[in-house]
Amino acid sequence: MDIGLKGKWALVCGASKGLGYACAAALAEEGAHLVMVSRTSGPLQESARRIAQETGVQAVPVAADISTPEGRAMALRACPQVDILITNAGGPKAGDFRELTPDDWQAALQANMLAPIELIKATVNDMIARKFGRIVNITSAAVKSPVDILCLSNGARAGLTGFAAGVARQLAPHNVTLNNLLPGKFDTDRLRANNAVRAERAGVPLEAETRRQADAIPAGRFGVPAEFGHACAFLCSAHAGYITGQNLLIDGGAYPGLL
Ligand code: NAP
């Protein structure tokens, strides 16, 4: 099935590995060209090379910190036009809220709230003019079920979610959609690092903590990043033009609420 993405350009942030990489790979499978951003050049170059080789699309790596104005300018300069914007950055550090400083909060707000907002500001008018745009913010299941040790994430992402809800309705008349994808537990470096913190705090082996967490998910396992990437590609497709302003949980059934 052609989902209408051939020849579109996607700016994918946090794209060298994990969920961002999976989104980039899935978009490329559908024929979208990519600008891929992350801070560390080596792994990013390798990821972009692999995607270009496997799919035949252009994949331009930009080694930059998306939480800075300079990093965002580099990323935007590298993209001929942004038809699709996937905002993403590493999650903020975990920890007891008593130990967090104002600088920790500033860093979290820059990376996980203000960077997406600035990228949306910079790209949305051209999307409106072209009558096509797809914006997906990678946020977190913590938006619906805040996680005790992830105070910075809980706070910054709630702010982005409120912003997106207001803006999505302004963009809807122009075939520009804005949605948030909320990962539950996906098997990435980020999840492994968080599990290590939990295991240490609980004084249990990492393997036992990992098994305990997977068993608590109705699906009985962590998500595979490619599952997340393909959901993202669908939200960016021509077929998803009537889906906007949504917070879509992808969590193997972990969230127990009705809404
Ligand atoms: P990951 O495996 O650690 O990958 C993060 C990616 O973002 C890497 O490519 C990293 O590369 C890049 N990155 C980090 N900070 C950046 C910055 N300031 N500028 C540009 N690139 C940056 O993380 P993940 O598991 O894919 O998670 C992605 C997002 O989803 C995070 O915000 C995370 O908190 C959230 N999330 C993940 C899960 C999960 O289960 N995995 C669950 C809930 C929420 P560099 O370090 O080289 O920059």
mmCIF file of all heavy atoms in Angstrom, residues 98-136:
data_model
loop_
_atom_site.group_PDB
_atom_site.id
_atom_site.type_symbol
_atom_site.label_atom_id
_atom_site.label_comp_id
_atom_site.label_asym_id
_atom_site.label_seq_id
_atom_site.Cartn_x
_atom_site.Cartn_y
_atom_site.Cartn_z
ATOM 1 N N ARG A 98 13.588 15.989 45.189
ATOM 2 C CA ARG A 98 14.324 16.825 46.163
ATOM 3 C C ARG A 98 15.743 17.119 45.699
ATOM 4 O O ARG A 98 16.360 18.085 46.128
ATOM 5 C CB ARG A 98 14.391 16.127 47.520
ATOM 6 C CG ARG A 98 13.048 15.925 48.180
ATOM 7 C CD ARG A 98 13.169 15.052 49.422
ATOM 8 N NE ARG A 98 11.878 14.644 49.936
ATOM 9 C CZ ARG A 98 11.156 13.636 49.445
ATOM 10 N NH1 ARG A 98 11.597 12.935 48.417
ATOM 11 N NH2 ARG A 98 9.996 13.338 49.978
ATOM 12 N N GLU A 99 16.246 16.246 44.812
ATOM 13 C CA GLU A 99 17.643 16.402 44.377
ATOM 14 C C GLU A 99 17.757 17.216 43.095
ATOM 15 O O GLU A 99 18.855 17.498 42.633
ATOM 16 C CB GLU A 99 18.254 15.007 44.136
ATOM 17 C CG GLU A 99 18.412 14.203 45.419
ATOM 18 C CD GLU A 99 18.421 12.697 45.154
ATOM 19 O OE1 GLU A 99 18.556 12.279 43.985
ATOM 20 O OE2 GLU A 99 18.261 11.946 46.141
ATOM 21 N N LEU A 100 16.640 17.608 42.493
ATOM 22 C CA LEU A 100 16.694 18.306 41.209
ATOM 23 C C LEU A 100 16.891 19.802 41.409
ATOM 24 O O LEU A 100 16.255 20.407 42.274
ATOM 25 C CB LEU A 100 15.406 18.049 40.419
ATOM 26 C CG LEU A 100 15.146 16.571 40.105
ATOM 27 C CD1 LEU A 100 13.767 16.393 39.487
ATOM 28 C CD2 LEU A 100 16.226 16.023 39.176
ATOM 29 N N THR A 101 17.761 20.382 40.567
ATOM 30 C CA THR A 101 18.070 21.812 40.682
ATOM 31 C C THR A 101 17.306 22.591 39.608
ATOM 32 O O THR A 101 16.832 22.016 38.627
ATOM 33 C CB THR A 101 19.576 22.033 40.456
ATOM 34 O OG1 THR A 101 19.864 21.683 39.089
ATOM 35 C CG2 THR A 101 20.415 21.165 41.391
ATOM 36 N N PRO A 102 17.254 23.930 39.748
ATOM 37 C CA PRO A 102 16.649 24.740 38.680
ATOM 38 C C PRO A 102 17.344 24.511 37.335
ATOM 39 O O PRO A 102 16.685 24.537 36.292
ATOM 40 C CB PRO A 102 16.844 26.175 39.177
ATOM 41 C CG PRO A 102 16.835 26.037 40.662
ATOM 42 C CD PRO A 102 17.542 24.734 40.943
ATOM 43 N N ASP A 103 18.649 24.248 37.343
ATOM 44 C CA ASP A 103 19.334 23.967 36.075
ATOM 45 C C ASP A 103 18.831 22.671 35.447
ATOM 46 O O ASP A 103 18.689 22.572 34.227
ATOM 47 C CB ASP A 103 20.853 23.867 36.284
ATOM 48 C CG ASP A 103 21.478 25.240 36.469
ATOM 49 O OD1 ASP A 103 20.782 26.250 36.200
ATOM 50 O OD2 ASP A 103 22.645 25.303 36.892
ATOM 51 N N ASP A 104 18.567 21.663 36.292
ATOM 52 C CA ASP A 104 17.999 20.414 35.767
ATOM 53 C C ASP A 104 16.654 20.703 35.093
ATOM 54 O O ASP A 104 16.359 20.186 34.011
ATOM 55 C CB ASP A 104 17.770 19.395 36.892
ATOM 56 C CG ASP A 104 19.067 18.892 37.508
ATOM 57 O OD1 ASP A 104 20.081 18.833 36.790
ATOM 58 O OD2 ASP A 104 19.057 18.561 38.714
ATOM 59 N N TRP A 105 15.852 21.524 35.755
ATOM 60 C CA TRP A 105 14.537 21.845 35.176
ATOM 61 C C TRP A 105 14.677 22.613 33.865
ATOM 62 O O TRP A 105 13.959 22.358 32.910
ATOM 63 C CB TRP A 105 13.695 22.648 36.192
ATOM 64 C CG TRP A 105 13.029 21.725 37.168
ATOM 65 C CD1 TRP A 105 13.394 21.471 38.450
ATOM 66 C CD2 TRP A 105 11.883 20.906 36.916
ATOM 67 N NE1 TRP A 105 12.560 20.543 39.013
ATOM 68 C CE2 TRP A 105 11.617 20.183 38.095
ATOM 69 C CE3 TRP A 105 11.062 20.710 35.811
ATOM 70 C CZ2 TRP A 105 10.559 19.276 38.192
ATOM 71 C CZ3 TRP A 105 10.001 19.807 35.912
ATOM 72 C CH2 TRP A 105 9.759 19.108 37.088
ATOM 73 N N GLN A 106 15.624 23.565 33.829
ATOM 74 C CA GLN A 106 15.836 24.324 32.583
ATOM 75 C C GLN A 106 16.210 23.392 31.445
ATOM 76 O O GLN A 106 15.694 23.521 30.324
ATOM 77 C CB GLN A 106 16.945 25.367 32.774
ATOM 78 C CG GLN A 106 16.499 26.632 33.469
ATOM 79 C CD GLN A 106 15.389 27.355 32.708
ATOM 80 O OE1 GLN A 106 15.230 27.189 31.498
ATOM 81 N NE2 GLN A 106 14.585 28.116 33.426
ATOM 82 N N ALA A 107 17.128 22.454 31.721
ATOM 83 C CA ALA A 107 17.574 21.532 30.664
ATOM 84 C C ALA A 107 16.413 20.682 30.169
ATOM 85 O O ALA A 107 16.246 20.465 28.960
ATOM 86 C CB ALA A 107 18.700 20.646 31.198
ATOM 87 N N ALA A 108 15.586 20.201 31.091
ATOM 88 C CA ALA A 108 14.440 19.361 30.702
ATOM 89 C C ALA A 108 13.437 20.165 29.884
ATOM 90 O O ALA A 108 12.916 19.691 28.869
ATOM 91 C CB ALA A 108 13.767 18.786 31.946
ATOM 92 N N LEU A 109 13.182 21.387 30.310
ATOM 93 C CA LEU A 109 12.216 22.214 29.573
ATOM 94 C C LEU A 109 12.738 22.539 28.183
ATOM 95 O O LEU A 109 11.992 22.522 27.200
ATOM 96 C CB LEU A 109 11.914 23.505 30.352
ATOM 97 C CG LEU A 109 11.135 23.292 31.654
ATOM 98 C CD1 LEU A 109 11.053 24.589 32.448
ATOM 99 C CD2 LEU A 109 9.721 22.779 31.361
ATOM 100 N N GLN A 110 14.039 22.833 28.082
ATOM 101 C CA GLN A 110 14.616 23.131 26.763
ATOM 102 C C GLN A 110 14.489 21.923 25.836
ATOM 103 O O GLN A 110 14.085 22.056 24.682
ATOM 104 C CB GLN A 110 16.102 23.518 26.887
ATOM 105 C CG GLN A 110 16.351 24.876 27.527
ATOM 106 C CD GLN A 110 15.801 26.045 26.706
ATOM 107 O OE1 GLN A 110 15.549 25.928 25.521
ATOM 108 N NE2 GLN A 110 15.605 27.181 27.362
ATOM 109 N N ALA A 111 14.871 20.753 26.319
ATOM 110 C CA ALA A 111 14.931 19.573 25.441
ATOM 111 C C ALA A 111 13.551 19.013 25.130
ATOM 112 O O ALA A 111 13.279 18.617 23.998
ATOM 113 C CB ALA A 111 15.796 18.496 26.085
ATOM 114 N N ASN A 112 12.686 18.968 26.124
ATOM 115 C CA ASN A 112 11.453 18.187 25.972
ATOM 116 C C ASN A 112 10.184 19.019 25.860
ATOM 117 O O ASN A 112 9.100 18.463 25.682
ATOM 118 C CB ASN A 112 11.312 17.198 27.139
ATOM 119 C CG ASN A 112 12.468 16.219 27.185
ATOM 120 O OD1 ASN A 112 13.293 16.261 28.086
ATOM 121 N ND2 ASN A 112 12.561 15.361 26.196
ATOM 122 N N MET A 113 10.339 20.342 25.943
ATOM 123 C CA MET A 113 9.151 21.190 25.729
ATOM 124 C C MET A 113 9.456 22.319 24.743
ATOM 125 O O MET A 113 8.789 22.468 23.714
ATOM 126 C CB MET A 113 8.685 21.767 27.066
ATOM 127 C CG MET A 113 7.486 22.672 26.934
ATOM 128 S SD MET A 113 6.983 23.332 28.538
ATOM 129 C CE MET A 113 5.831 24.580 28.011
ATOM 130 N N LEU A 114 10.492 23.106 25.019
ATOM 131 C CA LEU A 114 10.715 24.302 24.196
ATOM 132 C C LEU A 114 11.294 23.971 22.824
ATOM 133 O O LEU A 114 10.947 24.631 21.835
ATOM 134 C CB LEU A 114 11.599 25.299 24.952
ATOM 135 C CG LEU A 114 10.960 25.775 26.264
ATOM 136 C CD1 LEU A 114 11.923 26.654 27.056
ATOM 137 C CD2 LEU A 114 9.662 26.533 25.997
ATOM 138 N N ALA A 115 12.162 22.958 22.729
ATOM 139 C CA ALA A 115 12.706 22.600 21.411
ATOM 140 C C ALA A 115 11.589 22.184 20.451
ATOM 141 O O ALA A 115 11.522 22.699 19.322
ATOM 142 C CB ALA A 115 13.761 21.499 21.542
ATOM 143 N N PRO A 116 10.668 21.287 20.846
ATOM 144 C CA PRO A 116 9.557 20.975 19.946
ATOM 145 C C PRO A 116 8.739 22.212 19.576
ATOM 146 O O PRO A 116 8.369 22.393 18.412
ATOM 147 C CB PRO A 116 8.708 19.976 20.752
ATOM 148 C CG PRO A 116 9.653 19.369 21.722
ATOM 149 C CD PRO A 116 10.674 20.412 22.047
ATOM 150 N N ILE A 117 8.471 23.059 20.548
ATOM 151 C CA ILE A 117 7.653 24.253 20.264
ATOM 152 C C ILE A 117 8.370 25.142 19.248
ATOM 153 O O ILE A 117 7.767 25.635 18.289
ATOM 154 C CB ILE A 117 7.341 25.014 21.575
ATOM 155 C CG1 ILE A 117 6.370 24.191 22.426
ATOM 156 C CG2 ILE A 117 6.777 26.404 21.281
ATOM 157 C CD1 ILE A 117 6.111 24.754 23.824
ATOM 158 N N GLU A 118 9.676 25.343 19.416
ATOM 159 C CA GLU A 118 10.425 26.199 18.486
ATOM 160 C C GLU A 118 10.473 25.576 17.090
ATOM 161 O O GLU A 118 10.388 26.287 16.089
ATOM 162 C CB GLU A 118 11.839 26.444 19.013
ATOM 163 C CG GLU A 118 11.892 27.374 20.222
ATOM 164 C CD GLU A 118 11.324 28.764 19.915
ATOM 165 O OE1 GLU A 118 11.672 29.318 18.848
ATOM 166 O OE2 GLU A 118 10.527 29.274 20.711
ATOM 167 N N LEU A 119 10.619 24.268 17.011
ATOM 168 C CA LEU A 119 10.644 23.608 15.691
ATOM 169 C C LEU A 119 9.277 23.704 15.002
ATOM 170 O O LEU A 119 9.193 23.907 13.791
ATOM 171 C CB LEU A 119 11.061 22.140 15.839
ATOM 172 C CG LEU A 119 12.547 21.932 16.145
ATOM 173 C CD1 LEU A 119 12.813 20.488 16.580
ATOM 174 C CD2 LEU A 119 13.416 22.284 14.937
ATOM 175 N N ILE A 120 8.235 23.567 15.775
ATOM 176 C CA ILE A 120 6.887 23.704 15.198
ATOM 177 C C ILE A 120 6.708 25.135 14.677
ATOM 178 O O ILE A 120 6.243 25.347 13.548
ATOM 179 C CB ILE A 120 5.811 23.330 16.252
ATOM 180 C CG1 ILE A 120 5.875 21.827 16.549
ATOM 181 C CG2 ILE A 120 4.420 23.736 15.770
ATOM 182 C CD1 ILE A 120 5.088 21.386 17.777
ATOM 183 N N LYS A 121 7.120 26.105 15.497
ATOM 184 C CA LYS A 121 7.012 27.515 15.057
ATOM 185 C C LYS A 121 7.746 27.735 13.739
ATOM 186 O O LYS A 121 7.280 28.448 12.853
ATOM 187 C CB LYS A 121 7.663 28.423 16.116
ATOM 188 C CG LYS A 121 6.695 29.008 17.110
ATOM 189 C CD LYS A 121 7.413 29.711 18.240
ATOM 190 C CE LYS A 121 8.302 30.865 17.826
ATOM 191 N NZ LYS A 121 9.071 31.416 18.980
ATOM 192 N N ALA A 122 8.920 27.124 13.623
ATOM 193 C CA ALA A 122 9.782 27.387 12.460
ATOM 194 C C ALA A 122 9.286 26.710 11.186
ATOM 195 O O ALA A 122 9.691 27.103 10.095
ATOM 196 C CB ALA A 122 11.206 26.918 12.769
ATOM 197 N N THR A 123 8.459 25.685 11.302
ATOM 198 C CA THR A 123 8.120 24.886 10.111
ATOM 199 C C THR A 123 6.652 24.979 9.699
ATOM 200 O O THR A 123 6.307 24.647 8.567
ATOM 201 C CB THR A 123 8.438 23.390 10.367
ATOM 202 O OG1 THR A 123 7.783 22.973 11.573
ATOM 203 C CG2 THR A 123 9.928 23.173 10.509
ATOM 204 N N VAL A 124 5.819 25.426 10.585
ATOM 205 C CA VAL A 124 4.387 25.249 10.369
ATOM 206 C C VAL A 124 3.829 26.172 9.275
ATOM 207 O O VAL A 124 2.920 25.768 8.535
ATOM 208 C CB VAL A 124 3.685 25.394 11.738
ATOM 209 C CG1 VAL A 124 3.412 26.842 12.093
ATOM 210 C CG2 VAL A 124 2.461 24.555 11.806
ATOM 211 N N ASN A 125 4.370 27.353 9.127
ATOM 212 C CA ASN A 125 3.795 28.254 8.116
ATOM 213 C C ASN A 125 4.007 27.715 6.703
ATOM 214 O O ASN A 125 3.127 27.821 5.851
ATOM 215 C CB ASN A 125 4.384 29.669 8.245
ATOM 216 C CG ASN A 125 3.798 30.384 9.447
ATOM 217 O OD1 ASN A 125 2.795 29.949 10.012
ATOM 218 N ND2 ASN A 125 4.436 31.472 9.855
ATOM 219 N N ASP A 126 5.177 27.125 6.461
ATOM 220 C CA ASP A 126 5.416 26.538 5.132
ATOM 221 C C ASP A 126 4.540 25.307 4.917
ATOM 222 O O ASP A 126 4.091 25.050 3.795
ATOM 223 C CB ASP A 126 6.898 26.170 4.954
ATOM 224 C CG ASP A 126 7.754 27.405 4.749
ATOM 225 O OD1 ASP A 126 7.186 28.499 4.508
ATOM 226 O OD2 ASP A 126 8.990 27.292 4.838
ATOM 227 N N MET A 127 4.316 24.537 5.968
ATOM 228 C CA MET A 127 3.394 23.388 5.832
ATOM 229 C C MET A 127 1.999 23.889 5.453
ATOM 230 O O MET A 127 1.348 23.330 4.562
ATOM 231 C CB MET A 127 3.303 22.607 7.158
ATOM 232 C CG MET A 127 4.554 21.852 7.543
ATOM 233 S SD MET A 127 4.279 21.023 9.138
ATOM 234 C CE MET A 127 5.853 20.225 9.396
ATOM 235 N N ILE A 128 1.557 24.929 6.109
ATOM 236 C CA ILE A 128 0.219 25.488 5.823
ATOM 237 C C ILE A 128 0.165 25.953 4.371
ATOM 238 O O ILE A 128 -0.797 25.668 3.648
ATOM 239 C CB ILE A 128 -0.092 26.654 6.795
ATOM 240 C CG1 ILE A 128 -0.323 26.108 8.207
ATOM 241 C CG2 ILE A 128 -1.292 27.466 6.316
ATOM 242 C CD1 ILE A 128 -0.423 27.176 9.287
ATOM 243 N N ALA A 129 1.222 26.612 3.914
ATOM 244 C CA ALA A 129 1.243 27.124 2.536
ATOM 245 C C ALA A 129 1.182 25.977 1.530
ATOM 246 O O ALA A 129 0.560 26.097 0.475
ATOM 247 C CB ALA A 129 2.490 27.971 2.319
ATOM 248 N N ARG A 130 1.804 24.832 1.873
ATOM 249 C CA ARG A 130 1.819 23.689 0.944
ATOM 250 C C ARG A 130 0.608 22.777 1.120
ATOM 251 O O ARG A 130 0.445 21.795 0.426
ATOM 252 C CB ARG A 130 3.103 22.864 1.131
ATOM 253 C CG ARG A 130 4.372 23.553 0.633
ATOM 254 C CD ARG A 130 5.536 22.572 0.580
ATOM 255 N NE ARG A 130 5.875 22.044 1.882
ATOM 256 C CZ ARG A 130 6.744 22.598 2.728
ATOM 257 N NH1 ARG A 130 7.374 23.706 2.401
ATOM 258 N NH2 ARG A 130 6.997 22.050 3.896
ATOM 259 N N LYS A 131 -0.205 23.084 2.135
ATOM 260 C CA LYS A 131 -1.409 22.284 2.417
ATOM 261 C C LYS A 131 -1.089 20.832 2.752
ATOM 262 O O LYS A 131 -1.849 19.912 2.453
ATOM 263 C CB LYS A 131 -2.393 22.329 1.235
ATOM 264 C CG LYS A 131 -3.088 23.668 1.084
ATOM 265 C CD LYS A 131 -4.258 23.736 2.045
ATOM 266 C CE LYS A 131 -4.945 25.089 2.037
ATOM 267 N NZ LYS A 131 -5.719 25.306 3.256
ATOM 268 N N PHE A 132 0.068 20.628 3.331
ATOM 269 C CA PHE A 132 0.401 19.292 3.855
ATOM 270 C C PHE A 132 1.435 19.462 4.962
ATOM 271 O O PHE A 132 2.470 20.106 4.766
ATOM 272 C CB PHE A 132 0.988 18.370 2.780
ATOM 273 C CG PHE A 132 1.324 16.994 3.333
ATOM 274 C CD1 PHE A 132 0.395 15.967 3.271
ATOM 275 C CD2 PHE A 132 2.553 16.741 3.957
ATOM 276 C CE1 PHE A 132 0.680 14.707 3.813
ATOM 277 C CE2 PHE A 132 2.844 15.487 4.502
ATOM 278 C CZ PHE A 132 1.903 14.470 4.418
ATOM 279 N N GLY A 133 1.157 18.838 6.073
ATOM 280 C CA GLY A 133 2.149 18.804 7.150
ATOM 281 C C GLY A 133 1.770 17.739 8.153
ATOM 282 O O GLY A 133 0.588 17.485 8.406
ATOM 283 N N ARG A 134 2.777 17.077 8.686
ATOM 284 C CA ARG A 134 2.547 16.065 9.718
ATOM 285 C C ARG A 134 3.575 16.301 10.827
ATOM 286 O O ARG A 134 4.788 16.244 10.574
ATOM 287 C CB ARG A 134 2.736 14.642 9.151
ATOM 288 C CG ARG A 134 1.747 14.264 8.046
ATOM 289 C CD ARG A 134 0.349 14.033 8.601
ATOM 290 N NE ARG A 134 -0.563 13.570 7.571
ATOM 291 C CZ ARG A 134 -1.406 14.368 6.898
ATOM 292 N NH1 ARG A 134 -1.435 15.673 7.134
ATOM 293 N NH2 ARG A 134 -2.232 13.862 5.995
ATOM 294 N N ILE A 135 3.081 16.570 12.011
ATOM 295 C CA ILE A 135 3.969 16.797 13.151
ATOM 296 C C ILE A 135 3.653 15.740 14.207
ATOM 297 O O ILE A 135 2.483 15.556 14.580
ATOM 298 C CB ILE A 135 3.758 18.207 13.748
ATOM 299 C CG1 ILE A 135 3.964 19.280 12.670
ATOM 300 C CG2 ILE A 135 4.699 18.428 14.936
ATOM 301 C CD1 ILE A 135 3.493 20.666 13.081
ATOM 302 N N VAL A 136 4.695 15.057 14.642
ATOM 303 C CA VAL A 136 4.535 14.061 15.704
ATOM 304 C C VAL A 136 5.555 14.377 16.792
ATOM 305 O O VAL A 136 6.762 14.429 16.523
ATOM 306 C CB VAL A 136 4.754 12.630 15.181
ATOM 307 C CG1 VAL A 136 4.718 11.625 16.332
ATOM 308 C CG2 VAL A 136 3.700 12.253 14.128
#
